[in-house]
Each structure stands twice: as C-alpha cells, then as structure tokens.
Amino acid sequence: MINGFLQFLKKQKLAIQLAKEDMLFLLYPLEMFQTTIPLSRFFLKKSSLSPAQRVENYISTHHDTLLSLYSTTLALSYNIQPPHHSSSMLKGDIEIKHALSAQDYSLGEELLPELAASNPRLDEDYLLNILELNSDMRLYGAELSEIQKYASECGGNIALNVDWQHTSSDKLFVDFEEETTDSMNLPLNAQQNLAKIFFHLLYRKAYLVLDWQSVFYNAQGKIFWRDFSIIRNLSPELQKYALQNMLEKSAPKNSDEYNIKRALDLLRYYCPQVNLTELSKQIGGKILSDFKTHDEGWSKTNSPHLRQLNADDGHDRVSPSSKNLYQRLKSKPMSKNLGKSSLYYWGPLILAAFLLYYFL
C-alpha cells in the first residue's frame, strides 16, 4: 500500500509539472494517469507556443534526462520523426554526456515497467537496459571506445578519445582534437561514412548501433554517434533479416527484428542521399549466400544480387567473442512510414516520453 501511494505521488507531481508547461494533454490517453489529471488541471498555465515548439524547446533545455534519453527510441517505435536537436560546434576536452540523476533513475525504475505494460510496442527489458547504461558514464565511455575500435577497421570514423582522467560515474569527457559538428543534418560525405560504418558493424561484427540522437562529423566528413545504444552478437538470422528489410522492406515479426527495423529506419532518416540498399548488398552480400541452403525460396528471389556480388556459398562468418555488458536490447513494433513531424502525429511519442520525465 505504501509503495502504491508513493508511486501515486510521483505521478501526481509529474502531472502537475506537465500542467505548468501546458502539456497536460500528453497524459490524457494513459490509463495510469487518469487519477492524477483532475487535480493537475488547477495548475494549468497556457502557452502561446505551438505544441511541437513546447516539446522541442523543453527537450533541448533538459538534456540527460529520462525524456531526452528515450525520445529517439519512443519516436521510432511510434513511427514518427525524432525530436529536433540544434547543431553545435565542439573542440577541445568537452563534457558530452551526464549520467541520469538519482531521481530520474528511481522514477525510471518505477514507471518504465508500467509504461511498457501499458503499451505492447515497448519492452521493459530494453527500456531498463538503457536506463542502466546511462546511470554510469564510465560504462558509456567503455561502450563508445569499443565501438570506435571496430568502426576504425573500415575508416571514415572520427578518432574520439575518452578523457578517462576527468571522466567519472557522473560525467563523460571526450577530447575533440579538431573542430567537430554535432548535428542531425549531415553533408553527403558524412552520410556515406555513417552508412558504411553502420553496415560494417552490422554485417561484419554482428553489432547493431541504434537509437542515436545526433552524429558528430568533421570537415572531412568523418563521423561518430552521440547518445547511442548497442546490441552485440547478432545472430546470422537477424543479419539476414536486415538484408531482407533493406531489399524488400520485410515486415518485422518479433522484438529482435523490430530492433533491426528501428535502426534501419533511423539510418534512412540520417542518410537520405545515400543508396542504402546497394551499400547494404555490397557489405552484407556474403550473408545472403550463407542462407541459400536454409531458405531456397528467398535465395532464388535474390539470386541476381548474389551473382552481381560474386558471393560464394559456405562463407564463414566470425562473430566477436566479447560478451555484452548488458542483456540483449529489445523493442516493440512500429508501422512503416517514418518522418511525420507534426505534433499531432507525435501524439503517441509525447504521451509516452513525457511520462518518463521527472521534474525536480
């Protein structure tokens, strides 16, 4: 009873703060907040800004919070365009990320399972694993360093050095040796490098990079991700699905395939000028031949691609032996179209995302 009452108080506080920001409407469809809305209406303060402006302004001024942390994941899960982040220039030894506050972490532990239970498109394990990764910046820094090591194998990545002397559990410092742009809008050469590295990690290293919020790029178009998640040790079956999705837009059938689709949709959003289908075939073509004996029908459909790439049967794929620091990340379904930017298409995202944010 006591725990239930404390959870009610946290929800009520969140609802009141949303009312003060003129965002109480975000909670209306959520059953778990119905008992908190009536009182919260007394605190409503009207804003002259559009709903989309209110949301994006709030996210931009409250980085490293639950709302910001999950905004891209939730947007893609609901098939809408991720919230906009303004571009910035970086140079020198800079704190690029801060761990979640104890209050945010505590609220996340309590509300994320309830949020996942209320929406079949969200998965509790996935949400909680992101929460854990962002609770300690030393873990995040280790993740960044490992992925950068594998990205360097194919070139086109920025050599970012984590400043371990200044990095702590609360703060992550990275040394930018040259002027670097942090943006959602990339020039063509940066788009090409982003796609190349993404597919190299996916098909050659069995690593899936997903749910990033922006990308670093320099004057040469070299790139690296900011605020990303990782799924390690993808099975050959999931790598095959990635190719199927790129070639045929195959619909996902389970939570693992939804992870793949969400990542590919985000890559399409960031790389509109790149022929991702051809690049995916070029880098991942050998995976197709691995499955010819397992799926003859699908192989025959794609045999022209195999002949074009001279892909031989029996190719041995070597997966990295390193163990994941976290459980396999999971996500839930989203529909096919990505890119709707109106807040009224944002509805499900904002309803879910603002639920997560704890106002101090």
Side-chain angles (χ1 to χ4, degrees):
M1 176 179 291
I2 294 177
N3 287 337
F5 180 66
L6 292 176
Q7 290 180 10
F8 170 79
L9 290 179
K10 287 186 177 182
K11 293 175 189 175
Q12 184 66 73
K13 182 176 181 180
L14 174 57
I16 290 173
Q17 293 298 332
L18 285 175
K20 292 179 180 179
E21 301 288 338
D22 197 8
M23 297 178 184
L24 188 60
F25 65 92
L26 303 175
L27 302 181
Y28 289 163
L30 297 176
E31 183 65 29
M32 70 181 77
F33 278 93
Q34 294 311 301
T35 57
T36 67
I37 289 176
L39 177 60
S40 305
R41 288 197 179 101
F42 290 101
F43 298 86
L44 184 64
K45 294 182 179 179
K46 288 291 184 178
S47 171
S48 60
L49 297 176
S50 71
Q53 288 175 321
R54 284 176 247 162
V55 171
E56 292 192 344
N57 287 350
Y58 195 87
I59 291 175
S60 66
T61 56
H62 292 79
H63 198 62
D64 297 322
T65 63
L66 278 172
L67 172 59
S68 177
L69 179 61
Y70 290 97
S71 60
T72 298
T73 306
L74 292 168
L76 295 170
S77 294
Y78 285 107
N79 180 42
I80 53 179
Q81 181 175 312
H84 177 73
H85 293 267
S86 299
S87 299
S88 61
M89 302 299 295
L90 306 172
K91 193 176 189 305
D93 196 15
I94 297 175
E95 178 192 342
I96 67 166
K97 196 169 176 61
H98 197 282
L100 289 174
S101 67
Q103 293 90 340
D104 273 359
Y105 189 89
S106 175
L107 185 67
E109 286 185 312
E110 294 187 18
L111 290 189
L112 288 173
E114 190 171 354
L115 176 62
S118 71
N119 190 329
R121 293 188 173 188
L122 299 174
D123 182 85
E124 179 180 339
D125 289 340
Y126 175 73
L127 298 177
L128 291 176
N129 279 323
I130 295 178
L131 188 72
E132 183 68 24
L133 176 62
N134 286 271
S135 67
D136 190 322
M137 291 298 95
R138 295 167 297 188
L139 295 177
Y140 193 93
E143 198 85 296
L144 185 152
S145 297
E146 180 176 281
I147 298 305
Q148 182 170 251
K149 177 183 70 174
Y150 288 118
S152 66
E153 295 178 2
C154 66
N157 70 296
I158 297 177
L160 297 178
N161 298 312
V162 176
D163 181 356
W164 290 110
Q165 182 176 357
H166 292 98
T167 293
S168 64
S169 61
D170 292 330
K171 299 178 181 180
L172 174 64
F173 284 84
V174 170
D175 185 18
F176 294 89
E177 295 182 354
E178 57 183 319
E179 192 171 76
T180 301
T181 303
D182 177 17
S183 179
M184 298 179 72
N185 300 309
L186 309 181
L188 177 58
N189 56 353
Q191 292 181 34
Q192 293 169 333
N193 283 324
L194 174 62
K196 178 181 67 171
I197 293 172
F198 176 91
F199 287 128
H200 174 81
L201 292 171
L202 174 60
Y203 296 127
R204 305 291 172 81
K205 297 300 179 182
Y207 273 47
L208 179 66
V209 182
L210 67 170
D211 294 338
W212 61 88
Q213 296 188 9
S214 61
V215 170
F216 300 125
Y217 71 88
N218 62 16
Q220 295 76 45
K222 295 182 178 181
I223 66 92
F224 202 73
W225 293 274
R226 178 173 186 161
D227 292 323
F228 59 88
S229 299
I230 295 292
I231 299 176
R232 290 174 171 81
N233 300 323
L234 288 182
S235 68
E237 290 78 11
L238 289 177
Q239 292 177 310
K240 173 192 172 184
Y241 170 73
L243 274 170
Q244 288 178 312
N245 184 274
M246 291 304 305
L247 297 174
E248 303 173 347
K249 300 294 180 65
S250 301
K253 297 178 181 178
N254 54 54
S255 59
D256 290 328
E257 291 183 357
Y258 278 116
N259 283 329
I260 299 286
K261 184 179 185 299
R262 190 170 73 251
L264 293 176
D265 282 342
L266 188 58
L267 186 68
R268 293 180 181 109
Y269 173 74
Y270 272 79
C271 304
Q273 297 175 273
V274 178
N275 189 332
L276 297 176
T277 300
E278 291 302 317
L279 186 60
S280 185
K281 289 189 294 185
Q282 176 185 338
I283 299 177
K286 297 276 185 167
I287 302 296
L288 293 173
S289 66
D290 290 343
F291 285 88
K292 285 185 70 177
T293 58
H294 301 292
D295 189 347
E296 289 295 335
W298 192 81
S299 173
K300 290 177 181 178
T301 301
N302 292 279
S303 58
H305 303 312
L306 295 174
R307 289 195 296 270
Q308 177 184 357
L309 296 167
N310 297 317
D312 298 324
D313 291 334
H315 172 73
D316 293 325
R317 184 185 66 81
V318 179
S319 298
S321 58
S322 57
K323 294 183 179 179
N324 197 347
L325 295 173
Y326 317 99
Q327 300 173 356
R328 291 280 299 279
L329 303 183
K330 298 179 180 178
S331 70
K332 293 294 178 180
M334 63 177 168
S335 53
K336 294 181 180 178
N337 299 319
L338 177 64
K340 297 175 181 177
S341 59
S342 168
L343 181 75
Y344 298 101
Y345 291 110
W346 275 47
L349 160 70
I350 306 305
L351 293 170
F354 265 91
L355 164 66
L356 304 179
Y357 189 76
Y358 183 88
F359 293 82
L360 297 177

